[in-house]
Amino acid sequence: MTMPAGELEAVVASADSGDADANTATVEGRSLFQIAWRRIRSSKVAMISLGVLVFLLLIAIFAPVLTAIEGQDPTTFHNTRDVIDSGSVSFEPGLPLPGFKLPSSTHWLGVEPQTGRDIFARIVYGARVSLTIAFLATLMSVVIGTTLGAMAAYFGGVVDTVISRFMDLLLAFPQLLFLLTLTPILQARLGHTFLGKGSTLPIASLIFILGFFGWPYLARIVRGQVLSLREREFVEAARAMGASPRRIIFKEIIPNVAAVVLVYATLTIPANITAEAALSFLGVGVRDPTPSWGQMLNQSQSNNFYQLDPWFMLVPGLALLITVLSFNLLGDAVRDALDPRAGRS
Amino acid sequence: MARFLARRFVALIALLLATSIVTFTLFFAGTADPAADSCGKSCTPDRIAAAKVALGLDKPLVTQYLQYMKGLVAGREMGPPSGRYHCDWPCFGRSFQDNQFVWDVIKRGLPYTLSIAIGAATIWLFFGVLFGVIAALNKGKFLDKAAVTLSALGVSLPVPLIGLVFLWLIVSRWHLLPYTNNAITSPWSPGGPLAWAKNYILPWITLALIYGASYVRLTRANMIETMGEDYIRTARAKGLPRATVTIKHGLRAAITPIVTIFGLDLGALLGGAVLTESIYSIPGIGKTAVQATFDSNLPVIMSVVLFAAFFIIVANIIVDIFYAVIDPRVRLA
């Protein structure tokens, strides 16, 4: 039943980056992940979602290149008289200058109200920030959640009680409220010593806080799976051969819960993107001048800009919607593909 | 049953105590300088020292916690030595910002949050389950596909986007609805239930879109599974009307897990609809929390977090008990 961990990692890693073809070709036999990949490939919705996400990832990676092509950057103000007079930014009556301008060759998605910063540049750099936070926070939750969940189930007894009660405790807190109130305190307290300073501080603290409070959900699922895996023959065999608990957990058991973890991870990334956007929207997450989609929505709400210049609200809002939707659809497809019962209905 | 209830009650108390300890430690011990926060911008070292004594920050952390808990349960005397005053239970202390008792601040916000949560929950439960059942009964057909697609879209909608689009189009551009009026806090406010519904309909729909979508998915999945059971076939074979089979036999069994989720969602929402209240500028518990966060208003932050955790834990227990009542398969061990 056990699959070599190396093979799994190769397939899991390639499924994440979106081009599994190159790697799966080198894998012998047909693992659960290969079967799943075949199923995902046959689903149109999943492939479109995957395409969108790869596109987005490329945008985030090549943000500096894209903005260089456009000839803009995310922080320069375009609100001086001469910029407006030169015609690259429009002035609309009723708007704090400068105003909404339809996509043009100088500003592909127009400019922010008041400051006149380039929206396209802020969106692509915002993608970078939002995705980095979501990916790293998910990674952190997955590592902690899988390890602690597997440990709780494998060792049982006191270890299980301590870990399970701790999970209950974390789950008893209202998530968004807790993140909202705790983030500034964490930033003030740990900021300079531990999480860096300047613009990296909000990003690092968001990764830390989303990652730390996200693990109990996964740990619960992993714990349930491992409880039954623990009793299986291959674990007993490993134990009989004198394998250490560490080896059994990491080499024998965890590869078998990889499918569950993968499904959970694909559905946690969009949840983290949403949470980051929510916190930045409320003003405790990523802060000006660092762009993130939530931060841009925050700007569009302040001074009621969304009424005067709806475009400025729609661009980050739709970016958020498309990203989260793609991740959710892909996550559903991955779950269906990895479900052994899926063929029946 | 009595033993089951007693056990759940003990668990409730234990979990509440644990959350209070964690909250207290994180916020009071975590905050760099609560005394400086408490006396605002124009502060001198003398006044900070005085505030320290007034807040009891000069005592060991354990003493502080015990005093805080005593205040919660029985009320306590607090304030500087020169001007002690009594703070009735449940005493969360006084707001740093306007010196009001925190419990009064919470009580002020609660009707708004209740209005939002109750209305939204009713809408999403009704439509979520209805669409879920319709989708399940038409599995694979157009209605099902439409429901599945729309619910996938619904769960992905960012609250700020829906809220701002509603405000922009419905309120600001088309003038179909007015901005929310904070004088309306319940169906018994001036104007009656209709004015209340009109005032809160946008927040309701905003929340119902997101929550309702996941209820459609959940109901659909449960309903499809239940309708495939043998006893449904038996019921049909007996010649019972289709509606009876669907509702009395099918939905009754399929809805149990949904009741669980509903209880937990509602419990969490009562602790404050942070985003929705912020977008629509409704001064409920969630907005209070956001404001308190910006003001570093520690007593208010603490109380809101504790209050919300209380709702979540109580909702958990109620759901457990309810589950035991409606599902005979659950053993009250």
Side-chain angles (χ1 to χ4, degrees):
Chain A
M1 257 320 275
T2 39
M3 288 172 274
E7 171 191 310
L8 276 170
E9 276 159 24
V11 184
V12 174
S14 61
D16 276 348
S17 68
D19 63 337
D21 271 338
N23 288 309
T24 40
T26 63
V27 179
E28 305 268 304
R30 234 202 243 175
S31 68
L32 176 61
F33 287 91
Q34 277 178 301
I35 300 170
W37 173 239
R38 273 161 194 270
R39 286 198 192 143
I40 290 173
R41 230 175 14 189
S42 67
S43 157
K44 219 182 280 172
V45 175
M47 288 316 286
I48 293 173
S49 308
L50 196 59
V52 171
L53 293 175
V54 170
F55 179 67
L56 199 79
L57 210 61
L58 291 177
I59 286 182
I61 292 169
F62 293 108
V65 180
L66 288 169
T67 47
I69 297 173
E70 192 203 13
Q72 300 293 342
D73 67 83
T75 45
T76 305
F77 283 27
H78 301 279
N79 58 352
T80 49
R81 201 71 251 178
D82 52 315
V83 180
I84 294 161
D85 288 341
S86 74
S88 69
V89 169
S90 77
F91 175 76
E92 301 239 327
L95 261 184
L97 64 147
F100 153 62
K101 188 173 160 75
L102 274 172
S104 68
S105 54
T106 26
H107 297 283
W108 292 353
L109 291 175
V111 295
E112 267 186 2
Q114 208 157 40
T115 61
R117 289 182 295 196
D118 185 71
I119 293 182
F120 175 79
R122 292 189 72 73
I123 281 285
V124 293
Y125 272 95
R128 235 177 190 204
V129 173
S130 299
L131 289 179
T132 307
I133 292 173
F135 273 116
L136 292 181
T138 305
L139 186 69
M140 186 173 157
S141 304
V142 163
V143 171
I144 303 179
T146 313
T147 312
L148 288 185
M151 275 172 64
Y154 184 79
F155 292 115
V158 184
V159 179
D160 187 21
T161 311
V162 171
I163 295 177
S164 294
R165 290 295 84 78
F166 189 52
M167 293 193 302
D168 286 349
L169 186 62
L170 282 183
L171 292 174
F173 284 105
Q175 226 208 347
L176 184 57
L177 197 62
F178 210 48
L179 296 177
L180 162 79
T181 48
L182 212 52
T183 307
I185 290 179
L186 185 83
Q187 288 180 355
R189 192 62 183 239
L190 302 174
H192 300 289
T193 52
F194 171 57
L195 293 170
K197 44 186 120 170
S199 63
T200 53
L201 169 62
I203 296 176
S205 60
L206 280 176
I207 293 170
F208 180 78
I209 210 158
L210 288 173
F212 184 74
F213 287 99
W215 69 266
Y217 303 92
L218 175 65
R220 243 189 200 183
I221 304 169
V222 169
R223 180 178 169 274
Q225 296 267 314
V226 175
L227 274 180
S228 70
L229 281 173
R230 186 180 70 164
E231 307 299 332
R232 295 272 282 277
E233 288 84 354
F234 70 88
V235 176
E236 210 170 306
R239 213 177 291 141
M241 283 190 289
S244 66
R246 211 182 85 179
R247 200 197 142 79
I248 296 177
I249 290 179
F250 286 101
K251 297 274 177 187
E252 305 287 338
I253 290 180
I254 287 190
N256 279 292
V257 293
V260 177
V261 173
L262 180 67
V263 171
Y264 174 82
T266 30
L267 293 169
T268 303
I269 292 171
N272 279 338
I273 293 177
T274 311
E276 181 275 321
L279 290 176
S280 301
F281 174 75
L282 291 171
V284 299
V286 177
R287 259 165 265 172
D288 210 39
T290 311
S292 96
W293 297 339
Q295 185 272 337
M296 294 177 79
L297 285 168
N298 170 296
Q299 300 271 298
S300 76
Q301 195 201 17
S302 62
N303 301 324
N304 289 348
F305 282 157
Y306 67 93
Q307 295 179 5
L308 305 161
D309 187 359
W311 180 252
F312 179 46
M313 168 259 296
L314 288 175
V315 174
L318 290 177
L320 205 52
L321 173 60
I322 291 168
T323 310
V324 173
L325 182 63
S326 303
F327 268 114
N328 278 339
L329 291 174
L330 184 66
D332 286 350
V334 171
R335 184 181 49 204
D336 292 346
L338 286 170
D339 185 357
R341 296 174 306 171
R344 282 198 323 195
S345 56
Chain B
M1 191 72 188
R3 251 191 81 189
F4 171 77
L5 285 179
R7 282 178 58 137
R8 299 308 302 165
F9 191 70
V10 171
L12 168 88
I13 300 293
L15 203 50
L16 276 177
L17 271 178
T19 48
S20 72
I21 293 174
V22 170
T23 315
F24 193 86
T25 316
L26 279 178
F27 288 95
F28 262 87
T31 310
D33 199 351
D37 286 336
S38 79
C39 76
K41 292 207 174 70
S42 57
C43 212
T44 59
D46 284 357
R47 285 178 61 189
I48 293 184
K52 249 190 188 128
V53 177
L55 290 168
L57 293 170
D58 50 340
K59 302 198 179 69
L61 203 63
V62 178
T63 317
Q64 290 180 42
Y65 171 74
L66 290 177
Q67 289 209 328
Y68 189 85
M69 290 313 282
K70 181 185 172 280
L72 267 184
V73 180
R76 63 171 166 148
E77 303 295 318
M78 56 187 300
S82 52
R84 303 291 281 179
Y85 54 87
H86 186 70
C87 171
D88 277 336
W89 81 275
C91 169
F92 289 98
R94 270 182 163 179
S95 162
F96 286 170
Q97 203 64 25
D98 50 15
N99 226 14
Q100 289 191 339
F101 285 117
V102 174
W103 180 237
D104 292 332
V105 176
I106 297 270
K107 275 196 292 194
R108 218 179 326 142
L110 198 56
Y112 298 103
T113 299
L114 271 178
S115 293
I116 294 176
I118 290 171
T122 313
I123 296 177
W124 90 57
L125 183 65
F126 179 77
F127 286 103
V129 171
L130 181 69
F131 292 152
V133 170
I134 292 175
L137 295 181
N138 295 287
K139 191 173 170 253
K141 293 186 199 144
F142 172 75
L143 275 177
D144 180 34
K145 281 182 182 154
V148 169
T149 314
L150 286 179
S151 62
L153 188 66
V155 289
S156 309
L157 281 171
V159 178
L161 178 66
I162 315 175
L164 293 180
V165 166
F166 278 175
L167 279 177
W168 162 46
L169 289 178
I170 297 176
V171 179
S172 163
R173 172 146 306 189
W174 298 332
H175 304 289
L176 295 177
L177 286 167
Y179 285 100
T180 43
N181 173 359
N182 292 333
I184 301 174
T185 55
S186 76
W188 302 277
S189 296
L194 205 66
W196 178 68
K198 210 173 149 187
N199 196 46
Y200 288 102
I201 189 78
L202 288 184
W204 289 348
I205 296 177
T206 305
L207 283 169
L209 274 176
I210 290 157
Y211 281 96
S214 61
Y215 281 68
V216 173
R217 290 154 72 111
L218 200 63
T219 311
R220 178 182 173 273
N222 283 334
M223 202 58 191
I224 286 175
E225 204 180 318
T226 315
M227 294 307 277
E229 299 275 351
D230 289 341
Y231 70 87
I232 296 286
R233 206 179 42 197
T234 311
R236 243 187 227 150
K238 281 198 300 188
L240 289 177
R242 207 184 144 81
T244 315
V245 176
T246 308
I247 293 168
K248 279 207 167 161
H249 295 78
L251 189 58
R252 166 109 200 257
I255 210 162
T256 333
I258 294 159
V259 170
T260 312
I261 307 281
F262 180 71
L264 301 182
D265 280 345
L266 188 60
L269 197 55
L270 285 174
V274 180
L275 279 173
T276 312
E277 288 172 16
S278 295
I279 293 165
Y280 293 104
S281 299
I282 298 168
I285 309 246
K287 186 99 198 298
T288 308
V290 176
Q291 196 53 50
T293 303
F294 285 122
D295 299 339
S296 303
N297 196 342
L298 212 52
V300 176
I301 295 175
M302 278 273 300
S303 67
V304 172
V305 171
L306 273 182
F307 203 62
F310 172 78
F311 274 130
I312 291 178
I313 295 169
V314 171
N316 258 297
I317 308 279
I318 292 178
V319 162
D320 266 8
I321 295 170
F322 189 72
Y323 216 85
V325 173
I326 61 170
D327 192 337
R329 285 168 300 188
V330 175
R331 275 185 301 151
L332 303 176

